[in-house]
Structures are given as C-alpha cells and as structure tokens.
C-alpha cells in the first residue's frame, strides 16, 4: 500500500468513527477495589500518601463496600490491620481476626459483592515479613502451613476468593489442598504469581503498617530485572491449580503482563499498586498533569497489555467516569 491510497487519518476524523475502530475498552467490571480494614471503631484515617484511601473500621468498610457495589464494581480485595501483631502473625488465621470479622460484616450487608482476601502474614507479624523467621530469613515450608490456615479461615468466614501475595514456593498447592479437604473446592485462588520486590509498594506499607523491621523482601519477591523467570513462576502456579494469575506491580511491568497473556490462558489480573496511584495523585495535585486523563490512559494501557482485571485504588473514580 502506498501513502497516497491508504490514509490512517480517515478513521480518526470524528468521535463516532474512532469509537467504531477502538480496540481496547475499559469497563467498570474490570476493576477490583482494595480496602484496608482497621481494628477498632469509628476509625477513618486517610493515608497521607494515598489521597482518598483510608484505614477504616468495619462499619466504614461496610458503608464503602455498599458504595463500591452500587457503582457496579464487582469485587473488593481486603487487607487487615489487626489489634496486635506477633512473631507468627496469629491474627491472620484467627476466627475473630480483623479480616474474618470484616468478611462476615460485608457479606451480611452486601452479599453480591465479591470479597477477595489478600493472604499474607506481613500485616500480622511484629517483624513485618511475609512469613515465619528462622535464622534471619523467612522459612518457606513453615510459612506454608500458616498461609494455608489463613486461607481456610478466610473461606470459613465467607470469602469468595483468596489471593496469596507472600511469594512462598508451593503456596498455591498448599492452599488448594486445605481448601479442598474442607469442602471449599469451589473457592478460586487468585495467585500473585509474578510479584516483584518493588519500591512502588512504599505507600501501601504505610497503609497496611507492614514495613519489614529488618532487611527487605528480596529473598522471596522477584528481582525487577527478570523477565524469563516470570514465565517459570506463572507456570508453577498453573501447575498448582491457580484460577487467576496476577502481575504486580503493573505500570513498570507491562511487558510481563503481555508475556503472561501470550503464554497462558488463565484470566490475568494486574495490580496497579500504591506508588503508581500516589504518583498520579501527587502530580495532579501540583497541576502538572490532568489526573483523570492520565488515570484512564494508564488503566487502558494495562488492559491493552493484556490484563483482564485491574486491582486499583482508582476503581471508584474510574467507574464514575465510565458511567458518565
Ligand atoms: C502484602 C502485599 C503488599 C502489597 C499487596 N500485598 C506489600 C508488599 O509485598 O510489601 C502491595 C500493594 C500496593 O503497593 O498497593 N504482601
Ligand atoms: Zn506480605
């Protein structure tokens, strides 16, 4: 074809034509909204680095869950800030733990909203690591037992889905086994299959009060330099019977999202993490960017890279824009 005959601008001339040839669409149904449930009553504390996002006690969580559901967002993912933390993260797998109580409260009031739970120990351990410490590092196989107990207790409290984010080897298999042994074979596992050791989690650690008290997470989360390793991590989770795969963070890892989309047929989720949210909010507050447009373009980019679903703090704002 020659320039004189084919003119791409023909299909860009007006909004109707552009909408007819649009390849990627954002939908309200694509979003999963993260929430931070804090022990106590009457708590609604805004995270300083995440405007519009709060640590909240259960009654406020339930109120926001209703709002999320009314906007048409299908699911929330829950993080807990317990009353007390200890070396083994006991609140994580306690029947009256913060998350277990939150799940019951949401399901009682908004039963159609899908409740996904983050399965990890870092919010519940006094040392802030994602598992049991032995000889100065997280012990993989001891941690698996606790993660399995945590996932089971979330299912028993009524969670619709569990999402392990710890990056221990073999956790999907361990969680699948305990769920199946207890009659929860219908509860899907959304695996944080490919999770990098990222500085973009900074604001989240303020929100979840989960900063490691020594060292960092590089002995279990992935090296941001590695691309082939992402395929190996994802394959393992497929073999362990994960129902969803996730890539996290999203913005600096769009190539990884595309790799997983091209190599696996499971539903693919990406996590538009806290630091990605904070950067847009900060630049918008300074008047340096158009926050709404940059938000929508960023979310669209994640879908175009191949994500089916996006966990995002922007979910409510983006839903309002999409609903018009
Ligand atoms: C817990 C967990 C983290 C995030 C989700 N689950 C933090 C971490 O691994 O340090 C980060 C989410 C975000 O930054 O928005 N393991
Ligand atoms: Zn963790």
């Amino acid at each position: 074809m020659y320039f004189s005959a084919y003119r791409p601008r023909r299909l860009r001339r007006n909004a109707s034509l552009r909408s007819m040839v649009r390849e990627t669409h954002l939908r309200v149904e694509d979003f999963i909204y993260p929430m931070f449930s804090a022990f106590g009553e009457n708590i609604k504390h805004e995270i300083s680095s995440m405007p519009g996002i709060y640590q909240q006690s259960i009654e406020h969580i339930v109120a926001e869950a209703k709002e999320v559901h009314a906007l048409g967002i299908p699911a929330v993912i829950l993080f807990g800030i317990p009353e007390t933390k200890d070396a083994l993260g006991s609140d994580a797998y306690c029947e009256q733990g913060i998350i277990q109580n939150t799940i019951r409260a949401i399901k009682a009031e908004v039963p159609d909203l899908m409740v996904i739970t983050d399965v990890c120990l870092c919010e519940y351990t006094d040392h802030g690591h994602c598992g049991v410490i032995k000889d100065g590092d997280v012990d993989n196989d001891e941690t698996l037992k606790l993660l399995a107990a945590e996932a089971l207790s979330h299912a028993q409290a009524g969670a619709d889905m569990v999402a392990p984010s710890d990056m221990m080897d073999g956790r999907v298999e361990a969680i699948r086994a305990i769920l199946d042994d207890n009659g929860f074979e219908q509860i899907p596992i959304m695996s944080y299959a490919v999770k990098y050791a990222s500085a973009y989690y900074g604001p989240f650690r303020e929100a979840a009060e989960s900063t490691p008290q020594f060292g960092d997470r590089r002995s279990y989360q992935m090296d941001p330099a590695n691309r082939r390793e992402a395929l190996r991590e994802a394959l393992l989770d497929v073999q362990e019977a994960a129902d969803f795969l996730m890539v996290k963070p999203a913005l600096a890892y769009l190539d990884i999202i595309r790799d997983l989309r091209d190599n696996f047929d499971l539903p693919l989720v990406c996590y538009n993490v806290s630091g990605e949210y904070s950067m847009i909010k900060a630049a918008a507050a300074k008047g340096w960017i158009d926050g709404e447009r940059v938000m929508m373009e960023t979310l669209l980019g994640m879908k175009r890279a191949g994500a089916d679903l996006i966990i995002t703090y922007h979910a409510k704002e983006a839903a309002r824009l999409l609903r018009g």
Side-chain angles (χ1 to χ4, degrees):
M1 275 188 283
Y2 299 97
F3 148 70
S4 57
Y6 182 69
R7 292 174 179 271
R9 287 184 58 188
R10 263 183 216 136
L11 300 185
R12 296 178 200 143
R13 283 182 59 223
N14 60 49
S16 303
L17 269 171
R18 288 193 293 273
S19 85
M20 287 172 74
V21 298
R22 185 157 299 133
E23 299 176 31
T24 311
H25 300 271
L26 273 178
R27 308 174 312 152
V28 176
E29 294 84 354
D30 300 333
F31 302 138
I32 299 170
Y33 184 63
M35 296 203 291
F36 299 96
S37 182
F39 179 86
E41 275 167 40
N42 246 319
I43 298 167
K44 186 158 181 169
H45 169 67
E46 191 171 32
I47 314 305
S48 63
S49 51
M50 301 177 74
I53 304 296
Y54 298 83
Q55 291 179 338
Q56 310 179 84
S57 45
I58 289 180
E59 75 278 18
H60 291 294
I61 291 274
V62 170
E64 194 178 24
K66 286 182 187 162
E67 186 193 346
V68 168
H69 180 60
L71 283 167
I73 296 165
V76 294
I77 183 164
L78 300 181
F79 299 91
I81 301 140
E83 181 180 21
T84 53
K85 305 188 186 219
D86 60 31
L88 297 178
S90 310
D91 196 86
Y93 37 89
C94 163
E95 205 206 321
Q96 294 301 323
I98 179 65
I99 284 297
Q100 291 77 1
N101 287 333
T102 308
I103 297 165
R104 284 186 287 264
I106 296 176
K107 292 310 286 187
E109 297 281 331
V110 210
D112 295 338
L113 181 70
M114 297 295 289
V115 173
I116 306 171
T117 56
D118 184 85
V119 174
C120 200
L121 294 169
C122 52
E123 297 130 67
Y124 309 94
T125 51
D126 50 14
H127 46 72
H129 276 286
C130 303
V132 183
I133 301 295
K134 213 155 122 187
D135 303 328
D137 194 8
V138 174
D139 185 273
N140 196 87
D141 297 11
E142 281 305 310
T143 301
L144 291 183
K145 298 173 196 162
L146 303 187
L147 293 169
E150 180 180 8
L152 176 61
S153 82
H154 292 175
Q156 286 167 335
D160 295 297
M161 201 183 300
V162 291
S165 70
D166 51 281
M167 288 303 278
M168 296 305 120
D169 298 331
R171 87 289 177 92
V172 173
E173 183 178 281
I175 291 171
R176 187 73 270 158
I178 200 169
L179 290 178
D180 290 0
D181 284 349
N182 288 276
F184 293 107
E185 49 283 280
Q186 294 303 326
I187 299 293
I189 300 175
M190 177 183 280
S191 175
Y192 287 70
V194 179
K195 176 172 176 180
Y196 290 93
S198 173
Y200 280 98
Y201 307 150
F204 172 95
R205 291 182 188 170
E206 178 196 336
E209 300 179 8
S210 63
T211 306
Q213 298 304 302
F214 65 90
D216 54 42
R217 304 210 202 289
R218 284 180 238 209
S219 79
Y220 41 104
Q221 298 180 349
M222 285 175 58
D223 182 342
N226 292 358
R227 183 173 174 191
R228 295 189 304 265
E229 189 186 355
L231 296 177
R232 285 203 300 279
E233 274 285 2
L235 178 60
L236 281 169
D237 284 7
V238 171
Q239 289 166 340
E240 293 175 34
D243 299 282
F244 293 78
L245 296 175
M246 193 194 303
V247 174
K248 176 182 174 199
L251 193 52
Y253 299 84
L254 296 175
D255 56 331
I256 309 298
I257 297 173
R258 173 48 56 189
D259 282 348
L260 261 66
R261 173 73 296 146
D262 289 345
N263 284 279
F264 299 96
D265 55 10
L266 290 182
L268 183 59
V269 188
C270 70
Y271 200 140
N272 173 213
V273 300
S274 55
E276 300 170 21
Y277 176 84
S278 301
M279 290 194 306
I280 291 181
K281 289 294 173 197
K286 281 189 170 283
W288 289 351
I289 59 170
D290 177 334
E292 284 189 352
R293 287 191 58 201
V294 170
M295 166 181 77
M296 295 308 267
E297 186 175 331
T298 301
L299 295 170
L300 186 69
M302 291 166 189
K303 280 213 78 181
R304 196 187 61 243
D308 299 301
L309 297 167
I310 306 172
I311 302 177
T312 179
Y313 304 97
H314 294 296
K316 291 197 304 177
E317 277 173 284
R320 283 194 198 96
L321 287 177
L322 290 169
R323 291 164 66 100

